[in-house]
Amino acid sequence: MKHYIDLHMHSTCSDDGEFTPSELVRQCEATGVRIMSITDHNSARGNREAREAAEACGIRYIAGIEIDCVFRGRNLHLLGYGIDAESPDFAALEAQMLADERKASWERLALTQKLGFDISAEELNKFSDINDPTKMWNGEVFAEVLLEKAEYMNHPLLRPYRTDGARSENPFVNFYWDYYAQDKSCYVKVEFPALKDAIALVRDNGGKAVLAHPGNNLKGRLELFNEIVKQGIDGVEVFCSYHDEAIAKYFYEQTVNHSLRITCGSDYHGKTKPSVKLGETGCWGDPQEVENKINF
């Protein structure tokens, strides 16, 4: 079911977004999304373009960002809403994160080769040219290259990501989660800010801090949620493409109990997550209630 509020999507200012900020606004207009936010990974660069495009077509726009951070050894994503997107603090965050991710890209290449795949920097650069200081090689790029190589058409490690395979609904990002995410075989640690520092960064720049898709990042560690609340988050992304109805209900109740804001977002990327559509947030709550609880 589509919803007219979608506060989680990624543009080309993210390392894994397919569409420009203006293109996302036009897609929101076409699909009936009336309240939107672009939340690029560790980047606020797309917000100015998006706001101008949204104002031109009567869409309410909320400036946003998604920050990688860590709490008690667990990698988390923190959404920031209503931020001052022009703040140099966000430019500094992006520059540091890009530098670290670009260094980690070469380590990911070595680990991928160690899995037995013949893959080169030249092949990766066709999808994300590391000579561009804003680019890196993430797990999705490795997936896209490997799944296109004819010699690996029947490779057992890639079979689950091909049509009708168990992980084929979002093959690129699923390959990332299975091999490049925390604790997986091709994972390379990047120094993310502590959760409390990420919260402070958002709040110091006029925003509200919202925990993104906790059903995914806290899988198997739900007991951490109460401790995360104590760190000072303002809200929780209760409704999203990662949450089924049961987990959404769980976090809805937790959020109400803690008097936090409730948000909803599709986490739309385009080709990286082809099964995820704009406005499809899984929100079964009353739209007006959700809008009132956003209040950014």
Side-chain angles (χ1 to χ4, degrees):
M1 181 178 70
K2 286 189 179 296
H3 203 282
Y4 73 83
I5 303 170
D6 192 338
L7 302 181
H8 192 161
M9 63 190 76
H10 294 269
S11 79
T12 48
C13 294
S14 285
D15 60 290
D16 54 1
E18 181 179 4
F19 302 105
T20 68
S22 295
E23 288 171 333
L24 287 177
V25 171
R26 288 194 290 272
Q27 290 181 30
C28 283
E29 182 181 27
T31 55
V33 172
R34 308 308 303 164
I35 304 174
M36 66 175 290
S37 180
I38 292 178
T39 51
D40 285 314
H41 297 298
N42 308 302
S43 174
R45 278 187 295 120
N47 281 287
R48 178 188 291 183
E49 178 185 335
R51 182 180 296 283
E52 291 174 355
E55 288 175 353
C57 58
I59 292 176
R60 179 185 169 195
Y61 186 79
I62 299 170
I65 191 171
E66 185 175 24
I67 301 173
D68 286 287
C69 55
V70 64
F71 179 72
R72 297 200 175 170
R74 194 79 167 194
N75 289 351
L76 302 175
H77 292 170
L78 185 77
L79 295 159
Y81 292 117
I83 58 171
D84 174 10
E86 304 296 326
S87 169
D89 290 345
F90 295 118
L93 172 72
E94 182 176 17
Q96 183 61 59
M97 295 296 287
L98 276 169
D100 292 347
E101 289 282 3
R102 286 163 58 77
K103 180 180 178 182
S105 294
W106 293 98
E107 296 179 60
R108 293 182 190 119
L109 174 57
L111 289 169
T112 305
Q113 292 169 335
K114 194 173 180 179
L115 285 178
F117 291 115
D118 181 12
I119 184 170
S120 67
E122 290 72 23
E123 290 172 310
L124 292 163
N125 280 340
K126 292 177 182 177
F127 294 86
S128 183
D129 190 349
I130 207 163
N131 296 306
D132 180 338
T134 68
K135 303 295 184 182
M136 69 186 79
W137 300 327
N138 56 26
E140 292 92 331
V141 172
F142 283 97
E144 195 164 3
V145 172
L146 291 172
L147 287 168
E148 276 205 355
K149 289 172 76 75
E151 62 266 38
Y152 295 140
M153 192 58 61
N154 294 309
H155 196 288
L157 293 184
L158 299 178
R159 202 170 295 138
Y161 309 96
R162 301 202 180 278
T163 303
D164 297 326
R167 302 286 282 161
S168 62
E169 76 282 7
N170 288 312
F172 300 156
V173 75
N174 283 340
F175 191 76
Y176 156 76
W177 285 116
D178 294 343
Y179 288 97
Y180 300 87
Q182 190 175 19
D183 299 326
K184 302 300 183 179
S185 58
C186 295
Y187 173 67
V188 178
K189 184 177 181 180
V190 173
E191 291 297 331
F192 297 143
L195 173 63
K196 65 178 181 179
D197 294 331
I199 293 170
L201 176 62
V202 169
R203 287 185 157 187
D204 289 349
N205 286 283
K208 301 297 183 182
V210 172
L211 183 65
H213 42 64
N216 185 56
N217 290 113
L218 294 181
K219 189 179 296 182
R221 294 292 305 279
L222 290 182
E223 74 279 1
L224 289 177
F225 180 74
N226 287 334
E227 295 301 312
I228 289 172
V229 171
K230 292 175 184 177
Q231 296 290 301
I233 60 171
D234 299 294
V236 177
E237 188 180 49
V238 170
F239 302 108
C240 69
S241 56
Y242 286 107
H243 292 177
D244 60 21
E245 187 170 342
I247 200 70
K249 182 178 180 181
Y250 172 82
F251 281 108
Y252 180 89
E253 292 172 349
Q254 291 293 318
T255 301
V256 170
N257 289 341
H258 288 287
S259 300
L260 298 170
R261 288 173 168 81
I262 291 170
T263 73
C264 56
S266 62
D267 199 10
Y268 177 70
H269 286 67
K271 67 179 181 180
T272 302
K273 298 181 180 181
S275 72
V276 175
K277 309 299 182 185
L278 279 173
E280 294 186 356
T281 66
C283 183
W284 40 255
D286 176 69
Q288 190 61 57
E289 179 188 8
V290 174
E291 184 174 349
N292 291 340
K293 287 184 178 293
I294 290 171
N295 195 28
F296 296 130

